[in-house]
Amino acid sequence: MSKMLQGYAGRDGETCPPVRPTRLVLDRSFLDLLTPAVKNARSSITICAYAWRWYGFEPELAVQRFNNAVFQAMRRGVSVRVITDNLTTSEQLAALGFDSVHIGFKVVLHTKSIQIDENLLMIGSHNLTKSATSDNYEASIFTSDTETNRQFAEYFNKLWNVAHAS
């Protein structure tokens, strides 16, 4: 099995590249991994959110504990930039002090990602909502692969610039 993770030689002798350092995260365990990572963020958090809800009257929810961790990271000086698909969400986040932009009205931002310190990337199907983190079947990948994180940071910055230009 470990040889498969390092590279697979097909029938023609061609070897596929090794599997990058990733972890598949299914369903409800998503925030169990993500919230501590946010609490340990040192310099930056970037978030692409198709749907992000705040549940101020339900502080016991895992998603609200995550929300509070992001807010606390911002308050301790971590740069938090958020791109959303929803103008109202973007305005609500900006009112809380987040650097938040709405991608525009002519395209859909369906990306769901969080990158921490440009060296840990979560990308997948999880929205930042109560149902996505407690009821739905969801799958996301966490990766610390350097090249993948570099490429995603470049992608995020491109989207950020597009959102500011619109």
Side-chain angles (χ1 to χ4, degrees):
M1 183 74 156
S2 64
K3 283 188 176 187
M4 287 177 60
L5 294 175
Q6 295 180 14
Y8 174 77
R11 278 186 266 170
D12 59 2
E14 187 174 315
T15 303
C16 73
V19 173
R20 296 179 172 145
T22 62
R23 179 171 182 178
L24 176 65
V25 180
L26 302 172
D27 306 326
R28 289 145 210 65
S29 62
F30 170 74
L31 291 175
D32 294 338
L33 294 173
L34 189 58
T35 302
V38 165
K39 288 180 178 179
N40 290 321
R42 294 173 189 249
S43 60
S44 65
I45 300 171
T46 58
I47 300 172
C48 288
Y50 176 73
W52 188 1
R53 305 288 181 269
W54 287 64
Y55 303 91
F57 296 109
E58 298 179 80
E60 73 284 354
L61 293 176
V63 68
Q64 189 56 34
R65 288 193 306 271
F66 164 81
N67 293 343
N68 291 335
V70 175
F71 184 74
Q72 290 304 317
M74 180 192 65
R75 290 189 53 146
R76 71 173 188 274
V78 173
S79 167
V80 179
R81 294 187 301 158
V82 183
I83 304 171
T84 69
D85 187 64
N86 183 289
L87 179 60
T88 301
T89 300
S90 183
E91 290 171 343
Q92 290 170 340
L93 292 169
L96 290 170
F98 290 102
D99 198 358
S100 179
V101 295
H102 171 245
I103 196 69
F105 295 103
K106 295 183 181 183
V107 296
V108 172
L109 173 78
H110 203 249
T111 305
K112 296 132 184 149
S113 67
I114 299 167
Q115 189 173 43
I116 300 169
D117 297 333
E118 292 191 10
N119 62 26
L120 176 64
L121 173 66
M122 179 293 302
I123 191 164
S125 69
H126 287 88
N127 283 306
L128 298 171
T129 64
K130 183 177 178 179
S131 59
T133 58
S134 62
D135 300 328
N136 298 354
Y137 293 112
E138 305 280 355
S140 292
I141 296 287
F142 282 55
T143 184
S144 59
D145 177 71
T146 303
E147 181 59 16
T148 302
N149 273 274
R150 185 198 64 75
Q151 289 176 12
F152 192 83
E154 190 175 288
Y155 174 74
F156 182 92
N157 288 326
K158 176 183 164 190
L159 290 177
W160 186 260
N161 292 334
V162 166
H164 274 286
S166 54

